[in-house]
Amino acid sequence: MYKYKTNDLILRTTTSLIAFILLGFAVYLLLAGHNSPGGGFVGGLMTSGAILLMNMAYGFETVKKVLPINFVKLIPIGLAVAAATGAGSFLFKQPFLSHTFGYFHIPIFGEVELATAMLFDIGVYLTVVGVMMTIILTIANDKD
Amino acid sequence: MTNILTASENLINIAVIISFIGISISLACLLYRVITGPTQPDRAVALDSMGINLMAVAGIMSIYLVTPNLNDVILLIGILSFLSTLAIAKYLEKGVIIDRDLD
């Protein structure tokens, strides 16, 4: 397929800068989903976009060495986190999926409201990342 | 004081409408380039510029609707436009988007 060897220096340098910005933006979207637009779904899509950018710049094998994550296993882990968040309300004699929140004091950020809906969002995030990366990497694999 | 406030509000409204008209003219020209581009890279560059114009539309729309909730959308459109342009460019150059091993 390759007629000549390409030199991707600009693309690789830009990727190593932009991928971190994308991951930071994804974490921001995940954490900001309670009071502003965002949430687990968009955060997961952004994370898979960052990993897709690394895949496009550096190739499949290199990214597999850098990020040794089995994305197929990420789907049941995310689903288990979401289901455990729902089932955890049984421990406190509450109906399924009932969430609660509390105010905690964290040294740097001060008084922060932490809700258990965040854990459900993390489950959604992991599932979306797993599904998107499984789809993309399965379709892209055509050399075998 | 209220005179200055209404004057600035009128100014913002007029500027927003002029910006909408300018961006829509630019989008129409880019759509012409997408339809009748002689080569494929012309169409790719035109689609990238259309993404940038969509970011501008989202920014102007957030001023028009007086809401800060569209700021994430602007960043999102920029990132997705960059990724799609990169994928098109890599497909046109190499024929594969994600290759197995580059070295």
Side-chain angles (χ1 to χ4, degrees), chain A residues 2 6 56 60-61 141, chain B residues 86 90 93-94 99-100 102:
Chain A
Y2 304 139
T6 54
M56 282 198 287
F60 179 67
E61 296 289 338
N141 234 345
Chain B
L86 194 59
K90 195 150 185 203
E93 186 178 355
K94 279 192 172 181
D99 24 22
R100 268 202 92 67
L102 276 175

Side-chain angles (χ1 to χ4, degrees), chain A residues 1-81:
Chain A
M1 201 67 190
Y2 304 139
K3 291 192 279 293
Y4 50 88
K5 203 164 163 55
T6 54
N7 188 3
D8 293 339
L9 181 65
I10 297 176
L11 173 62
R12 289 184 173 194
T13 312
T14 318
T15 297
S16 56
L17 286 174
I18 287 182
F20 284 105
I21 300 176
L22 253 71
L23 288 172
F25 184 54
V27 173
Y28 162 71
L29 278 177
L30 172 66
L31 294 179
H34 199 71
N35 295 320
S36 57
F41 188 75
V42 190
L45 283 184
M46 269 297 101
T47 308
S48 56
I51 301 173
L52 172 65
L53 178 64
M54 285 194 272
N55 267 308
M56 282 198 287
Y58 286 97
F60 179 67
E61 296 289 338
T62 313
V63 179
K64 203 175 170 189
K65 254 184 270 172
V66 172
L67 284 176
I69 301 171
N70 190 359
F71 290 106
V72 184
K73 276 183 192 164
L74 219 55
I75 305 171
I77 288 174
L79 288 176
V81 167

